[in-house]
């Protein structure tokens, strides 16, 4: 496994060498440390924090302060993985100046190396400006959860020919604006394959089939920690929710039965008096 820190340009080099990129979300220092130790290439402090940590129904209510708080924690835990901070709803859509200020805080105060934002051609000017001032940008196309109210749910995208063409045009525009990678969420495999072939920058898929240059999952989904619902494309590599409930039941029983803590040994008690 590579031990030197992963930098933004390394991801494109990975694509050129045909090496897949493994990315996960992280929201706190402990999890970041563990995922980093396991060799993940990049950690996204996703606005999914709103759903899997903060208990919201969607990501719309997540604020810059929320992401900043969690980005600080993840940056403290990650040693090797590239830390990417999600830009929450309305932190980049109002103006490019606003976006620079907000993204700058995620790097300067949060310790992230890059930001991610949702959208294609409508956000290209913002991406251009961020890249101009030295802030690396990861794009996000396909299902864009911050638009959940407009779309009407967490629905699969680019299933019609004209939408797939529009997505490809968006991806090309993001690349031309200087984005260093693009997340493709919930799009058909053949659309993800075509976009991946058309771009020099890497595509990172989630529910977008096997042909992207890398994959990302919400760590709480992949680890079986968030069990309110499991997206159909998720593979659960562990069932931590069950493990936690079983362990906690055992603890509760031990406390109630007086088995935890153990009674002090008489000799130790004597020494203390
Ligand atoms: O917020 C998030 O976790 C994301 C990933 C699903 C890509 O944007």
């Amino acid at each position: 496994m590579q031990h030197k820190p992963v930098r933004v340009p390394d991801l494109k080099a990975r694509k050129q060498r045909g090496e897949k990129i493994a990315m996960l979300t992280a929201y706190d220092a402990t999890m970041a440390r563990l995922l980093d130790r396991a060799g993940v290439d990049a950690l996204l402090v996703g606005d999914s924090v709103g759903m899997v940590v903060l208990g919201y129904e969607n990501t719309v209510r997540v604020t810059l302060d929320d992401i900043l708080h969690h980005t600080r924690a993840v940056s403290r835990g990650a040693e090797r993985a590239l830390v990417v901070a999600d830009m929450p709803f309305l932190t980049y859509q109002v103006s490019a100046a606003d976006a620079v200020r907000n993204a700058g805080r995620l790097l300067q105060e949060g310790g992230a190396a890059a930001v991610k934002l949702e959208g294609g051609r409508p956000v290209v000017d913002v991406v251009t400006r961020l890249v101009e001032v030295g802030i690396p940008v990861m794009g996000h196309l396909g299902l864009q959860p911050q638009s959940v109210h407009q779309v009407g749910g967490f629905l699969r995208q680019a299933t019609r020919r004209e939408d797939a063409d529009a997505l490809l045009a968006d991806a090309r525009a993001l690349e031309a604006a200087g984005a260093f990678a693009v997340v493709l969420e919930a799009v058909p495999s053949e659309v993800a394959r075509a976009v991946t072939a058309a771009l020099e920058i890497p595509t990172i898929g989630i529910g977008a089939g096997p042909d992207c240059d890398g994959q990302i999952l919400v760590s709480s989904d992949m680890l079986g920690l968030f069990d309110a619902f499991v997206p159909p494309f998720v593979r659960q590599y562990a069932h931590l929710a069950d493990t936690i409930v079983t362990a906690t039941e055992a603890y509760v029983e031990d406390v109630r039965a007086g088995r935890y803590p153990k009674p002090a040994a008489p000799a130790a008690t004597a020494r203390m008096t």
Side-chain angles (χ1 to χ4, degrees), residues 229-254:
F229 65 87
V230 183
F233 54 80
V234 166
R235 184 177 296 170
Q236 289 183 313
Y237 287 83
H239 298 279
L240 294 193
D242 294 344
T243 306
I244 289 171
V245 171
T246 305
T248 306
E249 282 170 352
Y251 166 75
V252 168
E253 277 173 27
D254 280 355

Side-chain angles (χ1 to χ4, degrees), residues 121-216:
R121 282 162 291 178
V123 296
V124 151
D125 289 348
V126 167
V127 174
T128 304
R129 188 67 195 123
L130 290 172
V131 173
E132 266 171 10
V133 300
I135 299 175
V137 179
M138 178 176 277
H140 183 153
L141 296 172
L143 174 57
Q144 295 165 38
Q146 291 173 14
S147 305
V148 63
H149 293 304
Q150 196 168 42
V151 175
F154 297 109
L155 306 174
R156 222 164 157 64
Q157 299 295 306
T159 51
R160 296 178 312 173
R161 180 61 199 262
E162 58 268 36
D163 297 333
D165 290 346
L167 189 140
L168 179 57
D170 282 336
R172 288 191 200 277
L174 288 172
E175 178 171 73
F180 71 93
V182 186
V183 168
L184 300 177
E185 179 164 0
V187 301
S189 302
E190 54 278 16
V191 174
R193 189 182 317 125
V195 174
T196 302
L199 300 188
E200 286 181 20
I201 56 172
T203 58
I204 311 291
I206 171 162
D211 298 317
C212 292
D213 299 302
Q215 296 290 329
I216 182 165

Side-chain angles (χ1 to χ4, degrees), residues 25 44 46-48 86 116 140 183 206 218:
T25 65
L44 171 69
D47 59 2
S48 51
D86 230 351
K116 176 173 83 58
H140 183 153
V183 168
I206 171 162
V218 170

